[in-house]
Amino acid sequence: MILLGVNIDHVATLRQARGTRYPSPVEAALVAETAGADLITLHLREDRRHIQDADVVAMRQVVKTRVNLEMAMTEEMLANALAVKPEDVCLVPEKREEVTTEGGLDAIGHFADVSRYTRSLLNAGIRVSIFIDPDRAQIQRAWDAGARVVELHTGAYADAHDAAARDAELARIRDAAAFAAELGMVVNAGHGLNYHNVQPIAAIPQIAELNIGHAIVAQALFVGFAEAVKEMKALMAAARG
């Protein structure tokens, strides 16, 4: 069975647009769980553009499945994670000027930092994932740094301009998933996945979990949050079945 992590960042984006107390990311997380989400993913960014510190604390208290906290490698974010102690932390690259995360973490170029942050989190009993491009050399360095979970960045696949480019990126992801699994890593994937492109990724047998947010929040405008989660789960199950 493939798992669905529902990213609730963009529920907070809508809230922050007006500076109101609604819509509540916590409420969205509980609805998502009831509708079948296997975990809740959220990204506390340095600029606090959507998720706020209080959201992370509240989420840890009420989520019944597990919390997957995405974070940049900064001392502030490490301190937050060690204080809140989510079940999972996914280390991601972060630029203040980007609209959304633009690529995987460079585990080769930042190997010392990846190793240090991974070790600190593991020592606190937190499972660590590295958000990484589907590249064998990067995956190997993530393994060498101590991570036993990898989340493959699917953005290039999702943004491919034609079928040939999309097929090439899908082949890269398949190869990367197989390689990571051979190392003994848990393989997750995410970024840019939606109701039209998710099934080829969900069909890859080594992938254990997909983390999807923007597409689900957008679909919820038309069908409701619970139904949007159920529709995504159904597509993933059909692809795997």
Side-chain angles (χ1 to χ4, degrees), residues 29-51:
L30 296 177
V31 171
E33 284 187 318
T34 301
D38 299 289
L39 64 145
I40 301 300
T41 295
L42 65 163
H43 184 178
L44 182 66
R45 296 185 69 107
E46 289 185 88
D47 61 10
R48 306 305 197 270
R49 67 177 62 172
H50 38 57
I51 296 297

Side-chain angles (χ1 to χ4, degrees), residues 103-231:
L105 186 63
D106 182 4
I108 298 173
H110 300 289
F111 180 74
D113 284 337
V114 172
S115 299
R116 181 168 66 87
Y117 279 82
T118 297
R119 185 167 55 253
S120 295
L121 292 162
L122 289 174
N123 287 341
I126 300 168
R127 191 174 75 152
V128 181
S129 174
I130 311 296
F131 185 68
I132 206 167
D133 288 334
D135 176 86
R136 286 187 174 221
Q138 292 285 354
I139 293 167
Q140 181 66 59
R141 290 309 266 167
W143 170 270
D144 295 341
R148 295 298 176 261
V149 186
V150 65
E151 180 168 344
L152 300 178
H153 178 250
T154 55
Y157 161 81
D159 296 336
H161 296 299
D162 55 48
R166 184 170 58 252
D167 288 347
E169 291 299 331
L170 183 60
R172 284 185 68 210
I173 294 167
R174 285 174 175 154
D175 178 74
F179 177 70
E182 287 170 6
L183 288 176
M185 303 186 88
V186 175
V187 185
N188 302 331
H191 197 81
L193 298 178
N194 58 47
Y195 295 85
H196 303 289
N197 64 19
V198 70
Q199 288 195 304
I201 300 296
I204 298 172
Q206 295 88 354
I207 292 180
E209 170 187 305
L210 298 181
N211 286 294
I212 304 173
H214 185 265
I216 291 174
V217 174
Q219 181 72 347
L221 293 174
F222 306 104
V223 302
F225 206 79
E227 184 61 27
V229 173
K230 291 176 183 177
E231 288 178 2

